[in-house]
Amino acid sequence: QVQLVESGGGPVQPGGSLRLSCAASGFILDEYVIGWFRQAPGQEREGLSCFDNRHGIRTYADSIMGRFTISRDSAKNMVYLQLNSLQPEDTGVYYCAAYTSTTFNACSFSPSEYKNWGQGTQVTVSS
């Protein structure tokens, strides 16, 4: 059974950093695409970053380019999202999601592509 569990969220001041973790179980990470999404109150879910693990390709949304970094530890079946230079507009619930694909550079920021989702972790950026 595919399962994703996020952790690492919390309150942080503007300019601060957090590292979010996504623990994956029930599947082989290297065969899946893992995406990180954010949903702010009253807004649609927004794709932030994606890791095509099969091909080792990382993709970032323009809105977070240069501030957030996606990484993985295949041995631990973990995917991380490092959040730097956080601003109040980064506040929201952060989700990791997964789907399997053999397509080269299968990264997608469309939530409908992803078949499996974690429960989310709240990030609140405020002074």
Side-chain angles (χ1 to χ4, degrees):
Q1 179 181 357
V2 173
Q3 189 172 15
L4 301 167
V5 179
E6 302 95 336
S7 61
V12 62
Q13 293 188 341
S17 298
L18 286 173
R19 189 176 81 153
L20 306 183
S21 299
C22 175
S25 61
F27 65 97
I28 300 172
L29 186 63
D30 286 351
E31 297 178 355
Y32 276 69
V33 175
I34 301 293
W36 280 99
F37 292 80
R38 173 175 69 202
Q39 188 161 23
Q43 296 188 19
E44 295 185 354
R45 202 163 290 191
E46 172 193 11
L48 303 175
S49 185
C50 174
F51 206 141
D52 176 348
N53 285 286
R54 188 184 295 271
H55 303 102
I57 298 172
R58 311 174 200 203
T59 304
Y60 297 95
D62 290 342
S63 61
I64 56 90
M65 186 79 72
R67 296 193 299 126
F68 294 2
T69 303
I70 193 170
S71 63
R72 68 179 177 183
D73 185 334
S74 296
K76 296 181 179 179
N77 247 31
M78 298 286 293
V79 178
Y80 305 98
L81 188 67
Q82 177 69 39
L83 315 179
N84 295 328
S85 302
L86 285 162
Q87 300 302 318
E89 53 267 32
D90 294 316
T91 293
V93 180
Y94 284 67
Y95 299 90
C96 64
Y99 76 100
T100 185
S101 174
T102 58
T103 302
F104 183 78
N105 195 9
C107 273
S108 171
F109 290 147
S110 174
S112 63
E113 291 283 349
Y114 292 80
K115 303 299 185 288
N116 305 98
W117 291 81
Q119 83 290 347
T121 185
Q122 175 72 44
V123 172
T124 302
V125 186
S126 174
S127 56

